[in-house]
Amino acid sequence: MSQLEIPEHLKYDSWSEALKQGTLLGQECADCGHQTAAPKAACVRCGSRDIETIELETTGEVYSETTIAVSPVGFEAGYKIAIVHLGEAKAVGRVSGDVEIGDTVTFSGAFEHDGQPTPQFEVVSE
Ligand SMILES: [Zn+2]
């Protein structure tokens, strides 16, 4: 398996490095249990700074999706972005293929553009 070190305090650099290696990291608040899928300095729900780095679940349900019709330079137009519930956390990522709210998707790695990784998900066929 990977040699990935999970940092105690998650920063964007270690989050994106882990993502490139195929691991989705997030944070969990020790005070209220709130989970996030991207690094934050403090809990967005209760403001606590007692937050630890966790490995997120990799399969979840699509909460919301949208198609980006006007894409940034370097991106093919018509790609889909979804908000995915991974356990308690909500992750934002690209989804390949047709996807609808309520579909089950699984994390399939990082989509990289200009060195900036974004989580990518695939629809799990029933
Ligand atoms: Zn909290």
Side-chain angles (χ1 to χ4, degrees), residues 33-82:
H34 183 66
Q35 292 184 357
T36 58
K40 300 271 191 301
C43 175
V44 295
R45 186 190 280 163
C46 76
S48 170
R49 290 185 173 265
D50 193 1
I51 44 181
E52 59 182 319
T53 308
I54 55 166
E55 253 188 75
L56 295 176
E57 290 177 30
T58 53
T59 300
E61 188 178 295
V62 174
Y63 171 76
S64 175
E65 57 86 15
T66 188
T67 299
I68 307 297
V70 180
S71 65
V73 174
F75 285 84
E76 195 183 320
Y79 62 89
K80 292 202 173 220
I81 293 287

Side-chain angles (χ1 to χ4, degrees), residues 94-96 104-108 120-124:
R94 280 176 67 113
V95 183
S96 49
T104 300
V105 293
T106 190
F107 173 63
S108 60
Q120 179 145 308
F121 296 93
E122 279 175 16
V123 178
V124 177

